[in-house]
Amino acid sequence: MGQTTEHDFTLPTGHRMHYRKVGNGPPVVLIHGLIASSFSWRFNLPALAQHFTCYAVDLLGMGDAERPSGVDVSPRGLAEGLVAFLKAQSGGPWSIIGTSHGGAVAIWLARLARAAGLELNRLVLSAPANPWSQHGRRLAPFAAHPISRAVVKASRWAYIPVRRMTFSRMYGDRRLITKETLAGYARPLKIKGTVPHCLDLLKNWVRNVDELEGVMRGIDVPTLLVWGTKDRLVYFSSAQRMLETIPDARLLKIEGAGHLPYEERPEEWNAAVVPFLRDAH
């Protein structure tokens, strides 16, 4: 697998993104979900790095990246920053992996990268945010409401029980949630500016996910959708609409897994994703 190295990258906005790099071979960029970081891919990087050069990013406002205010944090805005990041790296063609909110960013990245002259191979979307899952459409406006924002900001240590409660919904089998997992996800939340940033992401959530339908129709690379059948955050039922919308898409369902199949059932996830990506070479 090789040694994992940590790097910073200055985006065109002047703000600092962070990423982990490991492996050798064709390049793959991995994009985490909301209130997460490159830590999310800890069970997948060893398998992927045997065949690919992996760039696991920390998006602005999360992980070890800078937490600026007043910047475009829409999926398109974040994807535009990643286009600059990919163009600054050597090698290609690129494959893209994104999960949840990071899946929405990955969808935009797949569209924008082509226009920027980047060659793409494959796209993997693990339970991506999309217009047809109703849970986020109901929850995001509530979370972004000024009263909700004030309560969250006033509760400095609220992330501890919230993180436990959230993870109880993210896993299909709650017994698989470890103390190490909770600690790894909680660490970035302690950094000042993380929670306000995440609340900013939710301000225009409905509008941003509604835009994705049109963007998906223009994706021109083979796409693998990966979904846990017990996903309580981005409903498995929405996968069918995505299959009908993305021109060249296929679906892998992981029975009994929740919203994070890549860490709840990493062996099964890796066994499907690695061959899919390798088929492009």
Side-chain angles (χ1 to χ4, degrees), residues 161-176:
V162 167
R163 175 49 57 186
R164 288 184 177 276
M165 179 178 65
T166 301
F167 260 86
S168 71
R169 294 182 56 80
M170 285 189 174
Y171 273 56
D173 184 350
R174 300 171 186 177
R175 296 171 298 179
L176 298 176

Side-chain angles (χ1 to χ4, degrees), residues 13-16 60-62 65-73 149 153 192-198 200-201 203:
T13 60
H15 300 106
R16 178 182 53 79
L60 282 183
M62 303 183 199
E66 188 176 352
R67 282 145 174 78
S69 59
V71 298
D72 183 0
V73 294
R149 292 171 64 91
K153 289 180 179 180
K192 185 178 179 180
T194 304
V195 173
H197 172 83
C198 292
D200 285 342
L201 285 174
K203 282 183 181 178

Side-chain angles (χ1 to χ4, degrees), residues 34-51:
L34 186 66
I35 319 182
S37 68
S38 53
F39 171 80
S40 300
W41 307 111
R42 63 199 179 282
F43 300 133
N44 316 111
L45 288 175
L48 289 166
Q50 294 179 39
H51 310 282

Side-chain angles (χ1 to χ4, degrees), residues 80-163:
E80 287 173 346
L82 289 176
V83 167
F85 171 69
L86 266 56
K87 293 184 73 172
Q89 311 307 316
S90 60
W94 284 86
S95 291
I96 303 169
I97 300 175
T99 178
S100 194
H101 167 259
V105 178
I107 290 167
W108 267 110
L109 179 57
R111 283 292 304 275
L112 296 175
R114 288 289 199 198
L118 289 163
E119 188 177 354
L120 301 181
N121 270 330
R122 292 285 193 269
L123 174 63
V124 177
L125 301 172
S126 190
N130 67 78
W132 303 289
S133 179
Q134 295 302 311
H135 183 268
R137 301 180 72 87
R138 293 192 297 264
L139 182 61
F142 169 77
H145 191 278
I147 294 177
S148 301
R149 292 171 64 91
V151 170
V152 171
K153 289 180 179 180
S155 305
R156 183 180 178 188
W157 303 111
Y159 67 86
I160 298 174
V162 167
R163 175 49 57 186

Side-chain angles (χ1 to χ4, degrees), residues 33 61 76 81 124 178 185 248 264 270:
R76 176 170 187 157
V124 177
T178 66
Y185 277 92
D248 183 6
E264 185 178 359
N270 294 339

Side-chain angles (χ1 to χ4, degrees), residues 73-75 104 108 201 203-212:
V73 294
S74 68
W108 267 110
L201 285 174
K203 282 183 181 178
N204 299 304
W205 181 268
V206 174
R207 184 183 70 191
N208 289 336
V209 296
D210 282 347
E211 290 176 344
L212 292 174

